[in-house]
Amino acid sequence: MIIIDDKYISDELVEEQFVCNLSACKGACCVAGDCGAPLDKAETKTLKKIYPQIKSYLRPEGIEEIERTGTNTTDKEYGYVTPIVNNGICAYASVDANGIVGCGIEKAYNDGVIDFKKPVSCHLYPIRITKYESFEAVNYDRWDICKPACKNGKALKVPVYRFLKEAIIRKYGTEFYEVLDKIATKKY
């Protein structure tokens, strides 16, 4: 385990390899699961604010679900989450011509329409953060749908934390990432 400030980081973030392979998984992480993506309170306000700007990037079913339930819902385990359609696909998902599921929020961001990339829990995946009273546990979340990403990561020799450099910096800052990288490089 690596400890930086009050963050307890699983060794698996350094030991395991991971690089998304969307042509193989088709964006299954936006479809599978029993709830939407975890959100923090600030993100719930952001989603409400940007919804009119991103609406055109979403599927009709997603729009219908958001307008029925709101820009976020709640889950017993995760708290605030994105709404999902028919107990499956995220309401904010879009599907391209090749059947690959992506994030409508991120597409709007990439087009310069908004300045919010997507929920940080999505950006960080397969890292999941659990907050406790005095610390945060930063863990690697194994999921069968990500087997192609694990295989791709092994072939490219890219540790989970390096693949998620941008997301980790977004969540914890550049200094945090640099300390993590220095420890990981020295320790492993």
Side-chain angles (χ1 to χ4, degrees), residues 82-96:
T82 60
I84 56 175
V85 178
N86 297 326
N87 295 316
I89 190 167
C90 178
Y92 292 102
S94 61
V95 182
D96 72 13

Side-chain angles (χ1 to χ4, degrees), residues 31-181:
V31 179
D34 55 3
C35 71
L39 302 166
D40 66 29
K41 191 167 184 156
E43 288 175 323
T44 65
K45 293 175 183 174
T46 298
L47 289 177
K48 193 171 194 172
K49 178 182 169 191
I50 66 171
Y51 177 66
Q53 297 165 280
I54 64 170
K55 189 174 175 180
S56 65
Y57 289 86
L58 308 179
R59 298 169 314 104
E61 302 90 344
I63 294 168
E64 184 179 314
E65 185 65 24
I66 291 167
E67 293 184 357
R68 187 177 69 77
T69 63
T71 53
N72 67 273
T73 59
T74 57
D75 176 76
K76 288 179 185 177
E77 182 180 356
Y78 293 107
Y80 298 118
V81 294
T82 60
I84 56 175
V85 178
N86 297 326
N87 295 316
I89 190 167
C90 178
Y92 292 102
S94 61
V95 182
D96 72 13
N98 298 315
I100 296 174
V101 178
C103 180
I105 300 166
E106 188 172 22
K107 288 185 186 335
Y109 171 84
N110 290 339
D111 285 350
V113 174
I114 56 173
D115 63 1
F116 177 74
K117 185 171 185 116
K118 60 183 168 182
V120 74
S121 68
C122 299
H123 200 186
L124 280 168
Y125 199 78
I127 291 175
R128 280 288 184 234
I129 298 168
T130 306
K131 295 181 181 187
Y132 295 95
E133 192 173 313
S134 60
F135 70 95
E136 291 183 8
V138 183
N139 291 302
Y140 172 55
D141 186 41
R142 293 179 189 279
W143 201 1
D144 285 347
I145 63 171
C146 292
K147 283 183 180 176
C150 297
K151 184 178 179 183
N152 198 27
K154 282 182 181 152
L156 298 171
K157 297 182 173 131
V158 178
V160 174
Y161 85 96
R162 284 205 179 128
F163 173 68
L164 294 170
K165 178 180 180 177
E166 179 187 344
I168 292 169
I169 290 171
R170 176 183 172 199
K171 176 70 176 170
Y172 294 124
T174 303
E175 185 178 333
F176 177 92
Y177 181 85
E178 288 171 355
V179 170
L180 174 60
D181 187 50

